[in-house]
Amino acid sequence: MSTDRRTPTDQPLIAPLFHRLIDDAAVFPPGNAALPDAVTAHREHRAAWYADLVGPLLVPATSVDALTGLLDPAERLDIGIIGDLPIDRLGVPDDPRVVVRQIEAAVAKRGEDPQPGIARMLDLANRQPELDVYAEIPLTFGLLAGLDTIAEARANGTRVAAKFRTGGLAAELFPTPVELAAVICACRDRELPFKLTAGLHHALRHADPETGFTHHGFLNVLAGAALALDGGEVADVAEVLAAIDAVPLIEPVRARRHQPRGLWVGFGSCSMIEPLTDLIRLGLVNGGYEG
């Protein structure tokens, strides 16, 4: 593992703040990698010097059976299952080579009451108590009540947390900085960890030249979540999320690099190399020096 290698200052190549920050979502849009190619690439990521950065391979529930046919007899592969089946049909494959770390599923469409879907996710979490379960809640009707329900269940010992979408194929799937800041602070107030998905391939907030959509940056979210944990208000966190200059963001993140993330669990990305390259360019990861 990469934690056995050291930089010239005897520090890990990937600091604890970034451990398992990025789940490998290669098979999902916009990457849409074929599953065999995604498995091959994931093996390479897990053997690389930046392996500590990489979370599990995310696989649609309907592809799990196909995945088992791609594994070597003695292989062990960490995966997260993404629910593209009804929640009550989600489960863990009976194959010791597949190590399921988490199950994630949307609990409602935009404008729908999320509570029935959350109830099904809680039932799933109680049936699979060894897993982390993430309920994806739309940033619309019923959001805060849904967070209350999840936070109460978590406080009672259920391994459940929240998940939010920060991008997609339509403009309305990209929350504004204020909307995302409000969600981050709402999770902070409830001591509720959260994941994010979509649109976070790059460190800094930026406009995509092809679509015109403005994407959130994962460095912005790291700094914003840290500020929220320190008691920052929604307006303060929103200002950090809206920043397009890396300079004021780097030091707050660098100062926490030896601490766990705490509030923000991480995000899925169809590219591992793009976010890694940004971290290297910003001087937050050392670029693979092996001393």
Side-chain angles (χ1 to χ4, degrees), residues 168-191:
L169 301 178
E172 62 267 21
L173 297 177
F174 291 79
T176 67
V178 171
E179 290 171 334
L180 184 55
V183 167
I184 290 173
C185 290
C187 288
R188 181 269 319 276
D189 293 343
R190 292 163 175 78
E191 299 182 351

Side-chain angles (χ1 to χ4, degrees), residues 65-264:
D65 288 344
L67 172 70
T68 60
L70 301 172
L71 302 182
D72 297 330
E75 187 168 6
R76 296 291 184 272
L77 184 69
D78 287 3
I79 71 166
I81 295 176
I82 305 299
D84 61 345
L85 292 169
I87 294 171
D88 56 9
R89 291 176 56 191
L90 298 177
V92 176
D94 185 18
D95 190 323
R97 298 172 301 167
V98 180
V99 182
V100 180
R101 297 296 183 185
Q102 61 212 44
I103 296 180
E104 310 172 21
V107 298
K109 297 177 181 178
R110 291 175 65 86
E112 293 181 346
D113 182 0
Q115 293 290 355
I118 291 172
R120 289 190 287 272
M121 288 296 284
L122 295 180
D123 180 67
L124 172 64
N126 290 325
R127 286 187 285 109
Q128 305 283 350
E130 74 283 3
L131 302 181
D132 291 314
V133 171
Y134 295 94
E136 182 183 324
I137 308 176
L139 304 187
T140 57
F141 171 76
L143 170 63
L144 295 181
L147 294 181
D148 287 338
T149 300
I150 294 172
E152 181 180 2
R154 186 176 181 86
N156 289 329
T158 302
R159 289 178 61 172
V160 64
K163 177 181 173 182
F164 308 108
R165 187 160 295 274
T166 50
L169 301 178
E172 62 267 21
L173 297 177
F174 291 79
T176 67
V178 171
E179 290 171 334
L180 184 55
V183 167
I184 290 173
C185 290
C187 288
R188 181 269 319 276
D189 293 343
R190 292 163 175 78
E191 299 182 351
L192 181 63
F194 68 92
K195 283 193 69 180
L196 299 177
T197 186
L200 287 169
H201 300 176
H202 289 291
L204 289 175
R205 184 171 175 80
H206 67 282
D208 186 304
E210 294 185 6
T211 65
F213 299 151
T214 300
H215 290 241
H216 290 283
F218 67 83
L219 182 67
N220 299 75
V221 178
L222 279 169
L227 179 59
L229 280 174
D230 287 342
E233 300 295 339
V234 170
D236 302 316
V237 176
E239 183 177 354
V240 170
L241 296 177
I244 57 174
D245 181 1
V247 172
L249 303 177
I250 290 175
E251 270 317 305
V253 171
R254 193 191 307 278
R256 290 177 176 261
R257 66 189 182 279
H258 300 305
Q259 304 174 24
R261 285 184 298 284
L263 185 63
W264 185 29

Side-chain angles (χ1 to χ4, degrees), residues 4-23:
D4 292 332
R5 307 170 194 147
R6 292 294 182 263
T7 68
T9 56
D10 199 35
Q11 296 298 328
L13 291 169
I14 302 296
L17 181 67
F18 307 120
H19 280 190
R20 300 176 73 89
L21 173 65
I22 309 170
D23 290 349

